[in-house]
Amino acid sequence: MTDLIAIGEALFELNQPHDGAPFRPGYGGDTSNAMIAAARCGASTGYFTAVGADRFGQALVELWRAEGVDASRVIVNGGAHTGIYFVTHGHDGHEFSYLRAGSAASRMTEADVPADYIGAARLLHVSGISQAISSSATDAVFEAIDIARRGKVLVSYDTNLRLKLWPLKRAKAVIHEAMKSVDIALPGLEDARALTGLEQPDAIADFYLRLGAGIVALTLGKEGALVATPQRRERIASIPVEAVDATGAGDAFDGAFLAELLATADPFNAARFANVAAALSTRGYGAVPPLPTRAQTLAALAKI
């Protein structure tokens, strides 16, 4: 049985470390990154998506297999392409450009959702991007959440707001509706400010608790995270590192947090672990290569 599965879109990545440098090939996609991060942290993980019948899709399937992420239910769509994105870096951080319109993943429908696969898991992870890539993907994720709820499978949701994919009004409506059915809310601070209209982290945590989440882990960037349940809340500091690329840091947090939560059932210790994993993930370029292992994360955590 696969304990932790995710649904979303994986993409082939081309990352330029600085102006004039060649683009380095890699892999991305928020929920895919999270499953690889979780696998490196010791969780049994799987991924459901659709890829094109092209070299990029084949490379992604090979990546999941190499990382120990079950890809047995991935759809290969011969009539669509695998999404690609580009990362560039400047004084204001990293910037993303996408070639994903009409991708295989964006063509997923409710009928494609593997009910048996979800029902056999312990936790389903999805995100705002999983729903933003198309209207049919929006419905597919809602169907997956409904299947999980009926099967008493936990659900986690990362807001991951991308306004290039959909307008804020629609994002609010869809994400808030989805959040009513999740157990674990994983918003980022800037996303949550845009979605809720609230500024203070505690007020944002209260907002998602009121929607129905039993655990809120609000990431605060370099400031760490605020973890809240109806009974308790705690701000958890990050660790200082020499960061070179924050691509995928939030995904690293998600994967490490969910892996540790499934292992320990303690969201506060899980967040301490995930903060360290996310910080370590910023020390190299690209979303996947710098993701730390469990041993690396524990070693850094022991030095705090």
Side-chain angles (χ1 to χ4, degrees):
M1 182 181 76
T2 302
D3 288 336
L4 171 58
I5 65 172
I7 293 178
E9 180 179 39
L11 304 104
F12 193 81
E13 174 189 272
L14 291 168
N15 195 315
Q16 185 181 46
H18 55 82
D19 286 344
F23 282 85
R24 300 176 179 177
Y27 309 94
D30 62 338
T31 50
S32 172
N33 297 339
M35 291 305 96
I36 294 171
R40 290 189 184 181
C41 290
S44 168
T45 66
Y47 197 58
F48 174 70
T49 188
V51 297
D54 49 40
R55 181 66 187 110
F56 302 126
Q58 181 183 350
L60 283 163
V61 172
E62 291 170 355
L63 169 72
W64 293 319
R65 289 173 178 162
E67 293 288 346
V69 177
D70 177 47
S72 62
R73 305 302 286 271
V74 171
I75 296 170
V76 178
N77 184 340
H81 66 278
T82 303
I84 302 174
Y85 76 107
F86 303 84
V87 187
T88 54
H89 302 268
H91 295 297
D92 297 327
H94 51 273
E95 182 175 337
F96 298 90
S97 301
Y98 296 90
L99 292 174
R100 75 196 317 172
S103 69
S106 74
R107 302 187 189 198
M108 290 189 296
T109 69
E110 292 177 74
D112 295 322
V113 176
D116 60 329
Y117 194 53
I118 294 169
R122 293 174 61 194
L123 194 151
L124 168 70
H125 177 61
V126 294
S127 78
I129 295 175
S130 303
Q131 295 197 285
I133 55 176
S134 69
S135 294
S136 66
T138 298
D139 294 340
V141 171
F142 275 128
E143 174 67 11
I145 292 172
D146 288 345
I147 291 167
R149 301 302 295 177
R150 291 195 297 269
K152 302 189 184 305
V153 175
L154 296 173
V155 180
S156 62
Y157 195 110
D158 185 330
T159 51
N160 248 351
L161 179 64
R162 296 291 186 270
L163 294 179
K164 290 182 179 180
L165 291 175
W166 55 358
L168 182 59
K169 185 175 181 179
R170 175 165 169 76
K172 285 182 178 181
V174 172
I175 292 174
H176 291 347
E177 185 63 28
M179 281 288 192
K180 294 176 184 178
S181 299
V182 309
D183 303 281
I184 304 157
L186 298 168
L189 180 59
E190 294 309 313
D191 289 354
R193 283 173 169 165
L195 289 165
T196 68
L198 302 169
E199 285 293 316
Q200 296 305 312
D202 282 297
I204 291 168
D206 289 337
F207 177 91
Y208 288 110
L209 289 172
R210 284 195 298 269
L211 281 183
I215 299 169
V216 178
L218 173 66
T219 52
L220 307 173
K222 294 180 181 179
E223 301 303 313
L226 170 66
V227 180
T229 69
Q231 297 80 30
R232 174 185 168 192
R233 68 184 57 198
E234 183 178 343
R235 283 210 187 203
I236 299 170
S238 186
I239 62 169
V241 295
E242 293 185 10
V244 298
D245 182 7
T247 303
D251 309 330
F253 180 94
D254 288 355
F257 179 83
L258 296 173
E260 196 67 6
L261 183 67
L262 287 177
T264 67
D266 185 333
F268 301 95
N269 282 336
R272 275 184 275 276
F273 179 87
N275 267 349
V276 172
L280 295 178
S281 77
T282 68
R283 299 184 303 173
Y285 286 102
V288 172
L291 292 171
T293 64
R294 180 173 179 77
Q296 290 169 331
T297 304
L298 289 175
L301 189 59
K303 296 178 182 178
I304 298 176

